Amino acid sequence: MAAEQRKRDSVGMRMEGCRTNNGFVLNEDIAEPDPCEPGSSRDPPQPNAAAAVSVAASPEPGAQEPYAGMPKEVLFRFSGRARYRVPRELLFWLVVVAVCLLVAATVTIIAVSPKCLDWWQAGAMYQIYPRSFKDSDKDGNGDLKGIQEKLDYITTLNVKTVWITSFYKSSLKDFRYAVEDFQEVDPIFGTMKDFEDLVAAIHDKGLKLIIDFIPNHTSDKHTWFQLSRTRTGKYTDYYIWHNCTQENGITIPPNNWLSVYGNSSWHFDEVRKQCYFHQFLKEQPDLNFRNPAVQEEIKEIMQFWLAKGVDGFSFDAVKFLLEAESLRNEIQVNQSQSPDTVTNYSQLYHDFTTTQVGMHDIIRDFRQTMNQYSREPGRYRFMGTEASAESIGRTMMYYGLPFIQEADFPFNHFLAMLNTLSGNNVYDAITSWMENMPEGKWPNWKTGGPDTSRLTSRLGNQYVNAMNMLIFTLPGTPITYYGEEIGMGNILVTNSNESYNTNTLASKSPMQWDNSSNAGFSESNYTWLPTNSDYHTVNVNVQKMEPSSALKFYQDLSKLHASELLLSRGWFCLLRNDSHAVAYTRQMDGIDRVFIVVLNFGESSMLLNLQDMMAGLPTWLPVRLSTNPASKGSKVDTRGVPLERGEGLILEHNTDTLPHHQAAFRNKCFVSNRACYSGALDLLYSLC
């Protein structure tokens, strides 16, 4: 009985499956008998059941709706119906159109967007003389570890770039020149490991690092020179040698060329029995850049430091790279002067020893080498050139040609060379650069450096804040020499055992960190230069606690520069200049605000009528920032803005009538990186 019951259940299950199991489709390549078809060998014929299954297994599309598990042949019949086909095709074309619109919008945004500011444009540079910044090993000399210790302080200044002057191994004590080995750190500053740690720490802080590089000459202790003076292999012509004669111990040079430091630029070498050429000291022989092997050596040195993670170079003394091959005498400034008495560098026109044909080709090759390391996104390598004492026309040539790049910018020393201040002097320094700078290039502004007198000592303490306001509100990159943010001054150097140019020692005094011994620069009993006697009051620790200090004002300026498009890339229009004041505006298309900057560089207080300079001004304007903390947040009468000696104001004016669109300022407005702002989309665009 049990066996019979199981048989009946099995037959029942098979029949039930014939009526309901539409979700499983057999492999069509294998012919299997259908247990539901009449005549199947597996079950006896059942006519009534077979008819029912025939209707269920073969539904006609016109007679039945789609059902789950239908075969693909049936699915294709239903998919062709209009009510299924039309929505599907409509959705497809909507996706196509949306993708096309997205691509078109992306291309349009890219096409109209201005080039983003690079890191060397987006914020200030901070120049450090490493021997004077911070001593970490108590030997009285600043070093690389000392810089690393003070990176937190540097970040509070809101600068983007740390610029370290020369630290290469040198046989002279003036580490900016006379390099003995370009691929070694001088032991005074630490080790190569210290440098690598410093690079990593700088990058961890989100900062960039540029370093000095002086390719024109080496030390006479350099291996290349030692091999050259013995005529060893390829080094024979690494320097500029020429026959000369000696009579009674006096050298008769090949021509009248003079050293920058005076007297003949030729020196007789007892080993080679020839004279070698030196633009600077006799311990600094010039390399022969007409020798391709020398150029390759310099490129390899660049690659060495770029591989270490350096973000750029300041190339110094580049105008001296080539000299005329003819060795013709240079022309005297005073033709009536006896040639035997011409010993000072300024007594000759240096037409054959500076800025020779081919010099810019060498700089372009430097640029190409750096471009090889700029391909990684966010890793552009900056190139600057020192072009001091050049005419404005020659200085602008270092920017390169429209389609041939050289320096990102030549460093601008025009403000650093001002020894007396007036509105007219500052105006001339600004316009000489802006009017001559090639279109689309980027300016920069320095107020000091290792070889110039400090701002406070040169112009007066009362002008420190005004000069810092000037460089942070002009278009371009502001550059600050260490200590200028707190108003450090020169020191008086009376007794020094250093083989420096004593005229430049005064601006290289130790950084003043606090009022402890040696101004917190060193724990040594001796420092390589004395600290300034005012360090008890002029130091970082004191000023960071004083709301009205030079340091606090510098930090406010740098924050404003970083946060305002008007200052970082807007238009610049000059309103007025005279013997006292300079006034100008900063604005950008799409932003209905204008910053009006007024600075008094005169010797006395004054009233400045802004309404005479700019139409449509309201009677009162708010002060956004002032060198006088008491004025911050107040309002001034534009019919007579009171300015004390050395005072500067940044006023904010809400208007949609921008000065650079007005005919009165058409020839007084400049822009370095043209851009407009869309408030609705919160983006910049260039078609304006």
Side-chain angles (χ1 to χ4, degrees), residues 130-330:
R131 197 178 183 187
S132 297
F133 197 63
K134 183 68 173 74
D135 173 21
S136 70
D137 57 5
K138 305 178 183 180
D139 68 349
N141 296 285
D143 45 50
L144 299 179
K145 282 187 176 180
I147 297 175
Q148 186 172 342
E149 288 179 9
K150 293 298 183 179
L151 287 180
D152 286 339
Y153 165 73
I154 293 174
T155 59
T156 67
L157 301 178
N158 303 299
V159 300
K160 295 292 185 182
T161 305
V162 176
W163 171 9
I164 302 178
T165 62
S166 180
F167 54 83
Y168 308 105
K169 186 176 181 181
S170 175
S171 56
L172 290 184
K173 295 179 181 179
D174 186 345
F175 292 93
R176 301 198 70 221
Y177 298 98
V179 175
E180 188 175 333
D181 190 334
F182 284 106
Q183 295 183 2
E184 286 291 337
V185 175
D186 194 279
I188 280 184
F189 300 119
T191 65
M192 187 61 71
K193 178 64 165 55
D194 294 338
F195 178 80
E196 293 167 351
D197 290 344
L198 176 60
V199 173
I202 285 174
H203 290 163
D204 286 345
K205 296 290 185 183
L207 304 173
K208 299 292 185 179
L209 172 66
I210 65 174
I211 62 175
D212 270 3
F213 188 26
I214 309 98
N216 178 70
H217 50 266
T218 71
S219 165
D220 59 355
K221 301 295 190 299
H222 197 290
T223 302
W224 297 347
F225 186 77
Q226 295 302 313
L227 293 172
S228 185
R229 67 200 302 230
T230 57
R231 303 177 190 266
T232 303
K234 67 175 184 178
Y235 300 100
T236 300
D237 295 323
Y238 264 40
Y239 296 83
I240 301 168
W241 296 94
H242 204 276
N243 292 328
C244 56
T245 59
Q246 274 197 316
E247 295 180 0
N248 300 323
I250 299 175
T251 301
I252 301 177
N255 56 27
N256 73 340
W257 294 354
L258 296 177
S259 160
V260 170
Y261 295 115
N263 297 314
S264 177
S265 57
W266 296 95
H267 184 74
F268 183 77
D269 181 65
E270 293 289 348
V271 175
R272 183 154 166 160
K273 303 300 181 184
Q274 282 186 306
C275 282
Y276 63 84
F277 178 72
H278 58 92
Q279 293 267 23
F280 297 92
L281 300 175
K282 64 181 178 61
E283 293 88 359
Q284 300 166 307
D286 275 39
L287 286 165
N288 178 15
F289 269 87
R290 298 193 186 277
N291 184 342
V294 170
Q295 296 189 34
E296 288 303 314
E297 293 273 14
I298 296 300
K299 290 178 185 177
E300 288 178 9
I301 294 168
M302 293 169 56
Q303 292 167 348
F304 173 83
W305 291 107
L306 291 170
K308 292 285 185 185
V310 167
D311 298 293
F313 292 104
S314 164
F315 287 93
D316 206 348
V318 289
K319 71 177 182 179
F320 299 108
L321 290 178
L322 291 178
E323 296 77 30
E325 294 181 276
S326 63
L327 300 184
R328 292 173 56 189
N329 282 342
E330 292 189 315

